[in-house]
Amino acid sequence: MDSTRQRPPATGARDGRGTAEQDAGQDAGQDAELFWERHYRARRSWDARVNPLLAETVAPLRPGAALDLGCGAGGDAIWLARQGWHVTAVDISATAVGRVRERARDLGVADRVVTEQHDLGRSFPAGAFDLVSAQYFHTPFPLLRNRVLRTAAEALRPGGLLLIVDHGSTAPWSWNQDPGSHHPTPAEISAELALDPARWPVLRADMPSRRATGPAGESATVIDHILLVQRAGGTE
């Protein structure tokens, strides 16, 4: 995630009789929450920008209900709210969702932004949405990402869009500098999601490059992997 983007249907709380797998999952969730809490507590600026591919996709759409998976610093959620969308912004970090809520209030869009803390590996926000945005939904911790994204697809209203934008290259400022990292292509992501194409047709699957600016002002050419699907039964 470059922020936190995780989660499927909620599981029950441990009662002392959990399996080793459940214990391991809880430990991983605690580690992930601590990692992202430290990340956002150390963040100096919360004047985040909207991700350009989200802005490009949303520009022709009529505002509705949007879900921002792994809202992080809130650049996307705040931008959507300022365009008239009603946004549910979720993140694993309590600091992130708290700061996004404060920023929405300061900018006069608090009535259009709801923030929720979720470990998306364990719970998923309730509701139906016209847009679900998963921008750079990556994390260094174990996560059943495909299950989360399939849950997101199921949460779409007829005609709603699921926009997945992943890293297709490693930027100099990325937390993951492993030269052996594989960046799944949009076709691979689509195959892994295994969504019924009759119910969720693919509208876009490509790998554009762009010039990006990092958090310290550095610049580099990056590649994005974009997958856009629509829930059948409506129009954009």
Side-chain angles (χ1 to χ4, degrees):
M1 318 187 159
D2 284 349
S3 30
T4 293
R5 299 173 188 193
Q6 344 174 193
R7 237 160 256 213
T11 57
R14 290 177 60 198
D15 61 1
R17 298 189 298 270
T19 65
E21 182 179 356
Q22 289 172 329
D23 290 343
Q26 183 177 41
D27 290 344
Q30 291 171 343
D31 289 345
E33 182 174 354
L34 179 59
F35 175 90
W36 292 112
E37 264 298 286
R38 288 173 173 169
H39 177 80
Y40 287 110
R41 285 177 183 173
R43 188 181 180 96
R44 296 180 180 178
S45 172
W46 287 82
D47 188 18
R49 303 180 295 265
V50 63
N51 281 302
L53 291 166
L54 173 64
E56 174 187 314
T57 301
V58 166
L61 304 180
R62 178 182 301 173
L67 172 61
D68 184 5
L69 294 177
C71 63
D76 292 342
I78 297 296
W79 183 87
L80 285 166
R82 298 180 88 171
Q83 308 308 305
W85 290 78
H86 289 268
V87 186
T88 300
V90 304
D91 202 283
I92 198 171
S93 165
T95 294
V97 296
R99 296 282 180 86
V100 172
R101 185 166 55 248
E102 291 171 5
R103 185 153 175 74
R105 184 184 62 242
D106 292 345
L107 294 174
V109 292
D111 60 328
R112 292 198 293 273
V113 177
V114 173
T115 59
E116 298 180 12
Q117 184 185 8
H118 282 275
D119 171 353
L120 289 170
R122 294 174 175 272
S123 64
F124 195 91
F129 304 95
D130 302 292
L131 171 70
V132 178
S133 176
Q135 301 287 308
Y136 310 107
F137 184 45
H138 307 295
T139 178
F141 298 92
L143 171 68
L144 296 175
R145 192 180 103 125
N146 290 336
R147 189 174 70 172
V148 177
L149 295 175
R150 283 194 295 269
T151 302
E154 291 281 2
L156 291 172
R157 292 171 175 159
L161 300 176
L162 169 61
L163 175 63
I164 303 168
V165 180
D166 285 348
H167 294 298
S169 61
T170 301
W173 52 84
S174 174
W175 48 260
N176 181 9
Q177 292 294 323
D178 181 359
S181 293
H182 172 64
H183 302 285
T185 67
E188 290 173 326
I189 296 166
S190 181
E192 290 172 356
L193 290 180
L195 295 171
D196 181 353
R199 296 181 62 198
W200 290 279
V202 174
L203 302 185
R204 181 178 181 181
D206 58 356
M207 300 177 286
S209 61
R210 61 184 173 87
R211 199 69 183 167
T213 302
E218 62 272 58
S219 182
T221 298
V222 299
I223 298 172
D224 293 306
H225 288 177
I226 305 169
L227 181 66
L228 177 66
V229 302
Q230 182 177 44
R231 183 160 195 166
T235 60
E236 294 181 42

